[in-house]
Amino acid sequence: MDNNNVNLPPGFRFYPSDEDLVVHFLHRKAALLPCHPDVIPDLELYPYDPWELDGKALAEGKRWYFYSRRTQHRNTKNGYWTTVGIEEPVLTSSQHRVGLKNYLEFYFGEAPAGLKTNWIMEEFRLSDSSASSSSRSSSKTRKHKKDYSKWVVCRVYERNCDDDDGGAAELSCLDEVFLSLDDLDEISLPN
């Protein structure tokens, strides 16, 4: 998707809440309903490292948004995503649970010995009750029900750490990797 071709009004800023992402975007996607404006692209995440999302996902500032299929395979070319913590409920303003949110962290290298980075992904999915109501509200046949619940919407960003070290700048993942290449004698490569 080329974000420059999206026909949006001047001054448009995409800054959705968790509820907005689940109710107004993901629910409509799962129910095969149109979403106007249709700005979030479908993207198979796992071939891409997080720094490669620019130009492929919807960018708003330093955050990237996209739909993807829910999968357990979370390896990329240079690393892997791993779940952190527990699923959090996504609630409406009237305290109804409409979805679930997972946090994932990106590690550079091979599991389980990868180097933790500052890249975070928030993965939103419909709660089971929302997914079943989406499939009932769709005009498609019942055989596609499982397909609807496989969609997730993701928000990816690079976390900025607090300046606990007296104002020194935090190194990005790539900076840390390139700086570690200074000591090539200490690196053991697999055979």
Side-chain angles (χ1 to χ4, degrees), residues 90-151:
V90 176
L91 304 173
T92 63
S93 54
S94 58
Q95 300 303 304
H96 289 94
R97 188 173 98 168
V98 292
L100 296 166
K101 175 174 153 178
N102 279 329
Y103 288 93
L104 295 97
E105 292 178 325
F106 186 75
Y107 283 76
F108 191 83
E110 291 188 27
L115 173 68
K116 182 178 171 181
T117 70
N118 290 334
W119 287 99
I120 303 293
M121 177 169 42
E122 297 173 6
E123 182 183 78
F124 298 88
R125 68 179 178 92
L126 295 172
S127 62
D128 294 334
S129 60
S130 296
S132 62
S133 68
S134 292
S135 62
R136 282 194 304 268
S137 66
S138 174
S139 62
K140 298 293 179 187
T141 60
R142 200 90 168 125
K143 68 179 181 178
H144 295 295
K145 178 182 176 187
K146 290 181 183 176
D147 195 40
Y148 299 145
S149 63
K150 291 182 182 178
W151 284 107

Short mmCIF file of all heavy atoms in Angstrom, two decimals, residues 90-151:
data_model
loop_
_atom_site.label_atom_id
_atom_site.label_comp_id
_atom_site.label_asym_id
_atom_site.label_seq_id
_atom_site.Cartn_x
_atom_site.Cartn_y
_atom_site.Cartn_z
N VAL A 90 -9.90 -5.36 26.02
CA VAL A 90 -10.18 -4.05 25.45
C VAL A 90 -11.64 -3.78 25.75
O VAL A 90 -12.52 -4.55 25.36
CB VAL A 90 -9.92 -4.03 23.93
CG1 VAL A 90 -10.30 -2.68 23.34
CG2 VAL A 90 -8.46 -4.35 23.64
N LEU A 91 -11.90 -2.69 26.50
CA LEU A 91 -13.24 -2.37 26.96
C LEU A 91 -13.78 -1.13 26.26
O LEU A 91 -13.03 -0.23 25.93
CB LEU A 91 -13.23 -2.13 28.48
CG LEU A 91 -12.68 -3.26 29.34
CD1 LEU A 91 -12.57 -2.82 30.79
CD2 LEU A 91 -13.52 -4.51 29.22
N THR A 92 -15.10 -1.10 26.08
CA THR A 92 -15.75 0.10 25.57
C THR A 92 -15.91 1.07 26.73
O THR A 92 -15.66 0.72 27.89
CB THR A 92 -17.15 -0.22 24.99
OG1 THR A 92 -17.97 -0.72 26.04
CG2 THR A 92 -17.06 -1.22 23.85
N SER A 93 -16.36 2.27 26.44
CA SER A 93 -16.58 3.26 27.49
C SER A 93 -17.65 2.79 28.47
O SER A 93 -17.67 3.21 29.62
CB SER A 93 -16.95 4.61 26.89
OG SER A 93 -18.05 4.45 26.02
N SER A 94 -18.53 1.89 28.04
CA SER A 94 -19.57 1.34 28.94
C SER A 94 -19.11 0.02 29.58
O SER A 94 -19.93 -0.74 30.09
CB SER A 94 -20.88 1.15 28.18
OG SER A 94 -20.68 0.30 27.07
N GLN A 95 -17.80 -0.26 29.53
CA GLN A 95 -17.17 -1.40 30.18
C GLN A 95 -17.56 -2.76 29.61
O GLN A 95 -17.52 -3.77 30.29
CB GLN A 95 -17.42 -1.38 31.70
CG GLN A 95 -16.89 -0.14 32.40
CD GLN A 95 -15.39 0.03 32.17
OE1 GLN A 95 -14.60 -0.86 32.45
NE2 GLN A 95 -14.99 1.19 31.67
N HIS A 96 -17.94 -2.82 28.34
CA HIS A 96 -18.18 -4.09 27.66
C HIS A 96 -16.88 -4.54 27.02
O HIS A 96 -16.20 -3.75 26.35
CB HIS A 96 -19.27 -3.95 26.59
CG HIS A 96 -20.63 -3.76 27.15
ND1 HIS A 96 -21.18 -2.52 27.35
CD2 HIS A 96 -21.54 -4.67 27.57
CE1 HIS A 96 -22.38 -2.65 27.85
NE2 HIS A 96 -22.62 -3.95 28.01
N ARG A 97 -16.56 -5.80 27.20
CA ARG A 97 -15.33 -6.34 26.60
C ARG A 97 -15.60 -6.63 25.13
O ARG A 97 -16.49 -7.38 24.77
CB ARG A 97 -14.89 -7.60 27.31
CG ARG A 97 -13.54 -8.08 26.83
CD ARG A 97 -13.04 -9.20 27.65
NE ARG A 97 -13.35 -10.43 26.95
CZ ARG A 97 -12.87 -11.61 27.29
NH1 ARG A 97 -12.11 -11.72 28.35
NH2 ARG A 97 -13.17 -12.67 26.60
N VAL A 98 -14.78 -6.00 24.25
CA VAL A 98 -14.94 -6.17 22.81
C VAL A 98 -13.74 -6.83 22.15
O VAL A 98 -13.82 -7.24 21.00
CB VAL A 98 -15.22 -4.82 22.11
CG1 VAL A 98 -16.59 -4.30 22.50
CG2 VAL A 98 -14.13 -3.81 22.41
N GLY A 99 -12.65 -6.92 22.87
CA GLY A 99 -11.46 -7.51 22.28
C GLY A 99 -10.40 -7.80 23.31
O GLY A 99 -10.58 -7.57 24.51
N LEU A 100 -9.27 -8.30 22.82
CA LEU A 100 -8.13 -8.61 23.67
C LEU A 100 -6.87 -8.01 23.04
O LEU A 100 -6.77 -7.91 21.82
CB LEU A 100 -7.97 -10.12 23.81
CG LEU A 100 -9.13 -10.81 24.52
CD1 LEU A 100 -9.06 -12.31 24.30
CD2 LEU A 100 -9.11 -10.49 26.00
N LYS A 101 -5.94 -7.63 23.90
CA LYS A 101 -4.71 -7.00 23.44
C LYS A 101 -3.52 -7.76 24.01
O LYS A 101 -3.45 -8.01 25.21
CB LYS A 101 -4.70 -5.55 23.92
CG LYS A 101 -3.45 -4.77 23.63
CD LYS A 101 -3.69 -3.33 24.06
CE LYS A 101 -2.50 -2.57 24.45
NZ LYS A 101 -2.81 -1.18 24.81
N ASN A 102 -2.61 -8.14 23.12
CA ASN A 102 -1.34 -8.79 23.50
C ASN A 102 -0.20 -7.82 23.24
O ASN A 102 -0.22 -7.10 22.25
CB ASN A 102 -1.09 -10.03 22.65
CG ASN A 102 -1.84 -11.23 23.13
OD1 ASN A 102 -2.10 -11.37 24.30
ND2 ASN A 102 -2.19 -12.09 22.20
N TYR A 103 0.81 -7.87 24.08
CA TYR A 103 2.05 -7.14 23.84
C TYR A 103 3.11 -8.13 23.42
O TYR A 103 3.24 -9.21 24.00
CB TYR A 103 2.53 -6.43 25.11
CG TYR A 103 1.71 -5.25 25.50
CD1 TYR A 103 0.65 -5.37 26.38
CD2 TYR A 103 1.99 -3.99 24.99
CE1 TYR A 103 -0.11 -4.28 26.75
CE2 TYR A 103 1.25 -2.89 25.35
CZ TYR A 103 0.19 -3.04 26.23
OH TYR A 103 -0.55 -1.96 26.59
N LEU A 104 3.87 -7.77 22.39
CA LEU A 104 4.98 -8.59 21.94
C LEU A 104 6.23 -7.72 21.85
O LEU A 104 6.14 -6.54 21.52
CB LEU A 104 4.68 -9.20 20.57
CG LEU A 104 3.52 -10.20 20.53
CD1 LEU A 104 2.26 -9.51 20.08
CD2 LEU A 104 3.84 -11.33 19.61
N GLU A 105 7.39 -8.32 22.12
CA GLU A 105 8.67 -7.64 21.99
C GLU A 105 9.46 -8.32 20.88
O GLU A 105 9.36 -9.52 20.70
CB GLU A 105 9.47 -7.71 23.29
CG GLU A 105 8.86 -6.92 24.41
CD GLU A 105 9.66 -7.04 25.71
OE1 GLU A 105 10.21 -8.13 25.99
OE2 GLU A 105 9.69 -6.06 26.45
N PHE A 106 10.26 -7.51 20.17
CA PHE A 106 11.07 -8.05 19.09
C PHE A 106 12.47 -8.33 19.59
O PHE A 106 13.09 -7.49 20.25
CB PHE A 106 11.12 -7.08 17.91
CG PHE A 106 11.82 -7.66 16.72
CD1 PHE A 106 11.19 -8.60 15.93
CD2 PHE A 106 13.11 -7.29 16.40
CE1 PHE A 106 11.83 -9.16 14.83
CE2 PHE A 106 13.76 -7.83 15.30
CZ PHE A 106 13.11 -8.77 14.52
N TYR A 107 12.96 -9.53 19.27
CA TYR A 107 14.32 -9.94 19.60
C TYR A 107 15.10 -10.14 18.31
O TYR A 107 14.61 -10.77 17.38
CB TYR A 107 14.32 -11.25 20.40
CG TYR A 107 13.93 -11.07 21.84
CD1 TYR A 107 12.60 -10.86 22.19
CD2 TYR A 107 14.89 -11.10 22.84
CE1 TYR A 107 12.24 -10.69 23.52
CE2 TYR A 107 14.54 -10.93 24.17
CZ TYR A 107 13.21 -10.72 24.50
OH TYR A 107 12.85 -10.54 25.81
N PHE A 108 16.32 -9.61 18.27
CA PHE A 108 17.20 -9.74 17.12
C PHE A 108 18.00 -11.02 17.30
O PHE A 108 18.59 -11.25 18.35
CB PHE A 108 18.13 -8.53 17.04
CG PHE A 108 18.89 -8.43 15.76
CD1 PHE A 108 18.31 -7.87 14.64
CD2 PHE A 108 20.19 -8.90 15.67
CE1 PHE A 108 19.00 -7.78 13.45
CE2 PHE A 108 20.89 -8.81 14.49
CZ PHE A 108 20.30 -8.25 13.38
N GLY A 109 18.03 -11.88 16.29
CA GLY A 109 18.77 -13.13 16.37
C GLY A 109 17.82 -14.31 16.40
O GLY A 109 16.64 -14.20 16.10
N GLU A 110 18.37 -15.47 16.80
CA GLU A 110 17.58 -16.70 16.83
C GLU A 110 17.11 -16.99 18.24
O GLU A 110 17.83 -16.77 19.21
CB GLU A 110 18.41 -17.86 16.30
CG GLU A 110 18.70 -17.75 14.81
CD GLU A 110 19.34 -18.98 14.24
OE1 GLU A 110 19.13 -20.08 14.80
OE2 GLU A 110 20.05 -18.85 13.24
N ALA A 111 15.88 -17.53 18.32
CA ALA A 111 15.30 -17.88 19.62
C ALA A 111 16.07 -19.07 20.20
O ALA A 111 16.52 -19.92 19.45
CB ALA A 111 13.83 -18.23 19.45
N PRO A 112 16.23 -19.16 21.46
CA PRO A 112 15.80 -18.23 22.49
C PRO A 112 16.89 -17.26 22.93
O PRO A 112 16.72 -16.55 23.90
CB PRO A 112 15.43 -19.17 23.64
CG PRO A 112 16.45 -20.27 23.53
CD PRO A 112 16.69 -20.43 22.05
N ALA A 113 17.98 -17.20 22.19
CA ALA A 113 19.14 -16.42 22.64
C ALA A 113 19.24 -15.07 21.93
O ALA A 113 20.31 -14.51 21.83
CB ALA A 113 20.42 -17.22 22.41
N GLY A 114 18.13 -14.53 21.46
CA GLY A 114 18.17 -13.27 20.73
C GLY A 114 18.43 -12.07 21.64
O GLY A 114 18.33 -12.15 22.86
N LEU A 115 18.76 -10.96 21.00
CA LEU A 115 19.02 -9.70 21.69
C LEU A 115 17.73 -8.90 21.74
O LEU A 115 17.15 -8.59 20.69
CB LEU A 115 20.10 -8.92 20.93
CG LEU A 115 20.41 -7.51 21.39
CD1 LEU A 115 21.06 -7.54 22.77
CD2 LEU A 115 21.33 -6.82 20.40
N LYS A 116 17.26 -8.59 22.93
CA LYS A 116 16.02 -7.83 23.10
C LYS A 116 16.18 -6.43 22.53
O LYS A 116 17.21 -5.78 22.71
CB LYS A 116 15.66 -7.74 24.59
CG LYS A 116 14.37 -7.02 24.86
CD LYS A 116 14.09 -7.03 26.35
CE LYS A 116 12.93 -6.14 26.68
NZ LYS A 116 12.67 -6.12 28.12
N THR A 117 15.17 -5.97 21.80
CA THR A 117 15.20 -4.63 21.21
C THR A 117 14.14 -3.76 21.86
O THR A 117 13.41 -4.20 22.75
CB THR A 117 14.92 -4.69 19.69
OG1 THR A 117 13.55 -5.04 19.49
CG2 THR A 117 15.84 -5.68 18.99
N ASN A 118 14.01 -2.53 21.41
CA ASN A 118 12.99 -1.61 21.91
C ASN A 118 11.70 -1.67 21.09
O ASN A 118 10.80 -0.89 21.32
CB ASN A 118 13.52 -0.17 21.89
CG ASN A 118 14.59 0.04 22.94
OD1 ASN A 118 14.63 -0.64 23.95
ND2 ASN A 118 15.47 0.99 22.69
N TRP A 119 11.61 -2.57 20.11
CA TRP A 119 10.42 -2.66 19.26
C TRP A 119 9.31 -3.40 19.97
O TRP A 119 9.51 -4.51 20.50
CB TRP A 119 10.75 -3.35 17.95
CG TRP A 119 11.56 -2.49 17.04
CD1 TRP A 119 12.92 -2.53 16.87
CD2 TRP A 119 11.08 -1.45 16.19
NE1 TRP A 119 13.30 -1.58 15.95
CE2 TRP A 119 12.19 -0.90 15.53
CE3 TRP A 119 9.81 -0.93 15.93
CZ2 TRP A 119 12.08 0.14 14.62
CZ3 TRP A 119 9.70 0.11 15.03
CH2 TRP A 119 10.82 0.64 14.38
N ILE A 120 8.12 -2.80 19.97
CA ILE A 120 6.93 -3.35 20.63
C ILE A 120 5.83 -3.49 19.60
O ILE A 120 5.67 -2.64 18.72
CB ILE A 120 6.45 -2.41 21.75
CG1 ILE A 120 7.55 -2.16 22.78
CG2 ILE A 120 5.17 -2.93 22.40
CD1 ILE A 120 7.93 -3.38 23.58
N MET A 121 5.06 -4.57 19.71
CA MET A 121 3.86 -4.72 18.90
C MET A 121 2.69 -4.94 19.85
O MET A 121 2.78 -5.75 20.77
CB MET A 121 3.96 -5.90 17.94
CG MET A 121 2.69 -6.10 17.14
SD MET A 121 2.78 -7.27 15.75
CE MET A 121 3.71 -8.61 16.38
N GLU A 122 1.63 -4.17 19.62
CA GLU A 122 0.37 -4.41 20.30
C GLU A 122 -0.52 -5.11 19.28
O GLU A 122 -0.80 -4.55 18.22
CB GLU A 122 -0.25 -3.09 20.76
CG GLU A 122 0.59 -2.36 21.78
CD GLU A 122 0.07 -0.98 22.11
OE1 GLU A 122 -1.03 -0.60 21.62
OE2 GLU A 122 0.75 -0.26 22.84
N GLU A 123 -0.94 -6.32 19.60
CA GLU A 123 -1.76 -7.12 18.69
C GLU A 123 -3.17 -7.19 19.28
O GLU A 123 -3.35 -7.68 20.39
CB GLU A 123 -1.16 -8.51 18.56
CG GLU A 123 -1.89 -9.41 17.60
CD GLU A 123 -1.30 -10.80 17.55
OE1 GLU A 123 -1.56 -11.59 18.49
OE2 GLU A 123 -0.55 -11.09 16.60
N PHE A 124 -4.15 -6.69 18.52
CA PHE A 124 -5.53 -6.67 18.97
C PHE A 124 -6.31 -7.74 18.24
O PHE A 124 -6.19 -7.88 17.02
CB PHE A 124 -6.16 -5.31 18.67
CG PHE A 124 -5.51 -4.17 19.38
CD1 PHE A 124 -4.42 -3.52 18.81
CD2 PHE A 124 -5.97 -3.73 20.61
CE1 PHE A 124 -3.80 -2.47 19.46
CE2 PHE A 124 -5.36 -2.68 21.27
CZ PHE A 124 -4.27 -2.04 20.69
N ARG A 125 -7.13 -8.47 18.97
CA ARG A 125 -8.02 -9.45 18.36
C ARG A 125 -9.39 -9.31 18.99
O ARG A 125 -9.54 -8.76 20.08
CB ARG A 125 -7.49 -10.86 18.48
CG ARG A 125 -7.47 -11.42 19.88
CD ARG A 125 -6.93 -12.86 19.87
NE ARG A 125 -6.87 -13.41 21.20
CZ ARG A 125 -7.85 -14.11 21.78
NH1 ARG A 125 -8.97 -14.32 21.13
NH2 ARG A 125 -7.73 -14.58 22.99
N LEU A 126 -10.40 -9.81 18.28
CA LEU A 126 -11.75 -9.78 18.81
C LEU A 126 -11.88 -10.80 19.93
O LEU A 126 -11.26 -11.87 19.88
CB LEU A 126 -12.76 -10.11 17.71
CG LEU A 126 -12.86 -9.10 16.57
CD1 LEU A 126 -13.76 -9.64 15.47
CD2 LEU A 126 -13.38 -7.77 17.07
N SER A 127 -12.68 -10.46 20.95
CA SER A 127 -12.97 -11.46 21.98
C SER A 127 -13.86 -12.52 21.34
O SER A 127 -14.45 -12.28 20.28
CB SER A 127 -13.64 -10.82 23.18
OG SER A 127 -14.87 -10.25 22.81
N ASP A 128 -13.96 -13.67 21.94
CA ASP A 128 -14.74 -14.76 21.34
C ASP A 128 -16.17 -14.35 21.07
O ASP A 128 -16.74 -14.69 20.05
CB ASP A 128 -14.69 -16.00 22.24
CG ASP A 128 -13.29 -16.58 22.30
OD1 ASP A 128 -12.51 -16.38 21.34
OD2 ASP A 128 -12.96 -17.23 23.31
N SER A 129 -16.79 -13.60 21.97
CA SER A 129 -18.18 -13.18 21.76
C SER A 129 -18.27 -12.19 20.61
O SER A 129 -19.22 -12.22 19.83
CB SER A 129 -18.75 -12.55 23.04
OG SER A 129 -18.00 -11.42 23.41
N SER A 130 -17.29 -11.31 20.45
CA SER A 130 -17.29 -10.36 19.33
C SER A 130 -17.09 -11.08 18.00
O SER A 130 -17.71 -10.75 17.01
CB SER A 130 -16.18 -9.33 19.49
OG SER A 130 -16.40 -8.54 20.63
N ALA A 131 -16.22 -12.08 18.01
CA ALA A 131 -15.95 -12.81 16.77
C ALA A 131 -17.18 -13.57 16.32
O ALA A 131 -17.50 -13.61 15.14
CB ALA A 131 -14.78 -13.77 16.97
N SER A 132 -17.91 -14.16 17.27
CA SER A 132 -19.09 -14.92 16.86
C SER A 132 -20.20 -13.99 16.39
O SER A 132 -20.92 -14.29 15.46
CB SER A 132 -19.59 -15.82 17.99
OG SER A 132 -19.97 -15.05 19.10
N SER A 133 -20.33 -12.80 17.00
CA SER A 133 -21.36 -11.86 16.52
C SER A 133 -20.98 -11.29 15.17
O SER A 133 -21.83 -10.99 14.36
CB SER A 133 -21.59 -10.74 17.54
OG SER A 133 -20.49 -9.90 17.63
N SER A 134 -19.68 -11.15 14.89
CA SER A 134 -19.25 -10.69 13.58
C SER A 134 -19.63 -11.69 12.51
O SER A 134 -20.09 -11.33 11.44
CB SER A 134 -17.72 -10.51 13.54
OG SER A 134 -17.33 -9.46 14.34
N SER A 135 -19.44 -12.97 12.82
CA SER A 135 -19.75 -13.97 11.81
C SER A 135 -21.24 -14.09 11.60
O SER A 135 -21.69 -14.35 10.50
CB SER A 135 -19.14 -15.32 12.19
OG SER A 135 -19.68 -15.79 13.40
N ARG A 136 -22.05 -13.89 12.64
CA ARG A 136 -23.49 -13.95 12.48
C ARG A 136 -24.01 -12.75 11.69
O ARG A 136 -24.95 -12.86 10.93
CB ARG A 136 -24.18 -13.99 13.86
CG ARG A 136 -24.13 -15.35 14.49
CD ARG A 136 -25.08 -15.44 15.66
NE ARG A 136 -24.85 -14.42 16.66
CZ ARG A 136 -24.07 -14.55 17.72
NH1 ARG A 136 -23.42 -15.67 17.92
NH2 ARG A 136 -23.94 -13.58 18.60
N SER A 137 -23.36 -11.58 11.87
CA SER A 137 -23.85 -10.39 11.19
C SER A 137 -23.44 -10.35 9.72
O SER A 137 -23.94 -9.56 8.95
CB SER A 137 -23.35 -9.13 11.90
OG SER A 137 -21.96 -9.04 11.79
N SER A 138 -22.51 -11.20 9.34
CA SER A 138 -22.06 -11.22 7.96
C SER A 138 -23.05 -11.97 7.09
O SER A 138 -23.70 -12.91 7.52
CB SER A 138 -20.69 -11.90 7.90
OG SER A 138 -20.30 -12.05 6.57
N SER A 139 -23.15 -11.56 5.84
CA SER A 139 -24.03 -12.25 4.90
C SER A 139 -23.36 -13.47 4.30
O SER A 139 -23.96 -14.19 3.53
CB SER A 139 -24.45 -11.28 3.79
OG SER A 139 -23.31 -10.86 3.09
N LYS A 140 -22.10 -13.71 4.64
CA LYS A 140 -21.38 -14.87 4.12
C LYS A 140 -21.87 -16.14 4.81
O LYS A 140 -22.48 -16.11 5.87
CB LYS A 140 -19.87 -14.72 4.34
CG LYS A 140 -19.29 -13.53 3.63
CD LYS A 140 -19.37 -13.72 2.15
CE LYS A 140 -18.81 -12.53 1.42
NZ LYS A 140 -19.00 -12.58 0.02
N THR A 141 -21.57 -17.26 4.24
CA THR A 141 -22.03 -18.53 4.79
C THR A 141 -21.28 -18.89 6.06
O THR A 141 -20.20 -18.37 6.33
CB THR A 141 -21.85 -19.65 3.76
OG1 THR A 141 -20.47 -19.73 3.45
CG2 THR A 141 -22.67 -19.41 2.52
N ARG A 142 -21.84 -19.79 6.83
CA ARG A 142 -21.31 -20.20 8.11
C ARG A 142 -19.92 -20.84 8.00
O ARG A 142 -19.15 -20.81 8.94
CB ARG A 142 -22.30 -21.20 8.73
CG ARG A 142 -22.16 -21.38 10.18
CD ARG A 142 -23.06 -20.37 10.86
NE ARG A 142 -23.16 -20.73 12.26
CZ ARG A 142 -22.87 -19.88 13.22
NH1 ARG A 142 -22.50 -18.67 12.96
NH2 ARG A 142 -22.98 -20.25 14.46
N LYS A 143 -19.59 -21.42 6.86
CA LYS A 143 -18.31 -22.12 6.72
C LYS A 143 -17.11 -21.17 6.84
O LYS A 143 -16.01 -21.61 7.09
CB LYS A 143 -18.25 -22.88 5.40
CG LYS A 143 -18.19 -21.99 4.17
CD LYS A 143 -18.12 -22.83 2.92
CE LYS A 143 -18.05 -21.93 1.71
NZ LYS A 143 -17.93 -22.67 0.48
N HIS A 144 -17.30 -19.86 6.71
CA HIS A 144 -16.20 -18.91 6.80
C HIS A 144 -16.00 -18.38 8.23
O HIS A 144 -15.14 -17.56 8.45
CB HIS A 144 -16.43 -17.72 5.87
CG HIS A 144 -16.43 -18.10 4.43
ND1 HIS A 144 -15.31 -18.58 3.80
CD2 HIS A 144 -17.41 -18.09 3.50
CE1 HIS A 144 -15.60 -18.85 2.53
NE2 HIS A 144 -16.86 -18.56 2.33
N LYS A 145 -16.77 -18.87 9.20
CA LYS A 145 -16.72 -18.35 10.56
C LYS A 145 -15.30 -18.36 11.13
O LYS A 145 -14.85 -17.40 11.70
CB LYS A 145 -17.65 -19.14 11.47
CG LYS A 145 -17.61 -18.67 12.90
CD LYS A 145 -18.50 -19.51 13.78
CE LYS A 145 -18.35 -19.07 15.22
NZ LYS A 145 -19.04 -19.95 16.12
N LYS A 146 -14.59 -19.46 10.98
CA LYS A 146 -13.24 -19.57 11.53
C LYS A 146 -12.32 -18.52 10.93
O LYS A 146 -11.44 -18.01 11.58
CB LYS A 146 -12.68 -20.96 11.28
CG LYS A 146 -13.36 -22.04 12.08
CD LYS A 146 -12.73 -23.39 11.77
CE LYS A 146 -13.44 -24.49 12.50
NZ LYS A 146 -12.90 -25.80 12.15
N ASP A 147 -12.51 -18.20 9.68
CA ASP A 147 -11.67 -17.22 9.01
C ASP A 147 -11.77 -15.83 9.65
O ASP A 147 -10.79 -15.12 9.75
CB ASP A 147 -12.06 -17.16 7.53
CG ASP A 147 -11.03 -16.46 6.69
OD1 ASP A 147 -9.83 -16.65 6.94
OD2 ASP A 147 -11.42 -15.71 5.79
N TYR A 148 -12.95 -15.44 10.09
CA TYR A 148 -13.15 -14.12 10.67
C TYR A 148 -12.32 -13.91 11.93
O TYR A 148 -11.78 -12.84 12.14
CB TYR A 148 -14.62 -13.89 11.02
CG TYR A 148 -15.55 -13.95 9.85
CD1 TYR A 148 -16.82 -14.47 9.99
CD2 TYR A 148 -15.16 -13.50 8.60
CE1 TYR A 148 -17.68 -14.54 8.92
CE2 TYR A 148 -16.02 -13.57 7.52
CZ TYR A 148 -17.27 -14.08 7.69
OH TYR A 148 -18.12 -14.15 6.64
N SER A 149 -12.25 -14.91 12.78
CA SER A 149 -11.56 -14.75 14.05
C SER A 149 -10.05 -14.76 13.91
O SER A 149 -9.35 -14.53 14.87
CB SER A 149 -12.00 -15.84 15.02
OG SER A 149 -11.62 -17.10 14.53
N LYS A 150 -9.54 -15.00 12.71
CA LYS A 150 -8.10 -15.04 12.52
C LYS A 150 -7.49 -13.67 12.27
O LYS A 150 -6.28 -13.52 12.25
CB LYS A 150 -7.75 -15.99 11.37
CG LYS A 150 -8.02 -17.43 11.70
CD LYS A 150 -7.63 -18.34 10.57
CE LYS A 150 -7.96 -19.77 10.91
NZ LYS A 150 -7.64 -20.67 9.82
N TRP A 151 -8.30 -12.65 12.03
CA TRP A 151 -7.77 -11.32 11.78
C TRP A 151 -7.34 -10.64 13.07
O TRP A 151 -8.00 -10.76 14.10
CB TRP A 151 -8.81 -10.44 11.09
CG TRP A 151 -8.99 -10.75 9.65
CD1 TRP A 151 -10.05 -11.37 9.07
CD2 TRP A 151 -8.07 -10.44 8.58
NE1 TRP A 151 -9.85 -11.48 7.71
CE2 TRP A 151 -8.65 -10.92 7.39
CE3 TRP A 151 -6.83 -9.82 8.54
CZ2 TRP A 151 -8.02 -10.79 6.16
CZ3 TRP A 151 -6.20 -9.70 7.32
CH2 TRP A 151 -6.79 -10.18 6.15
#
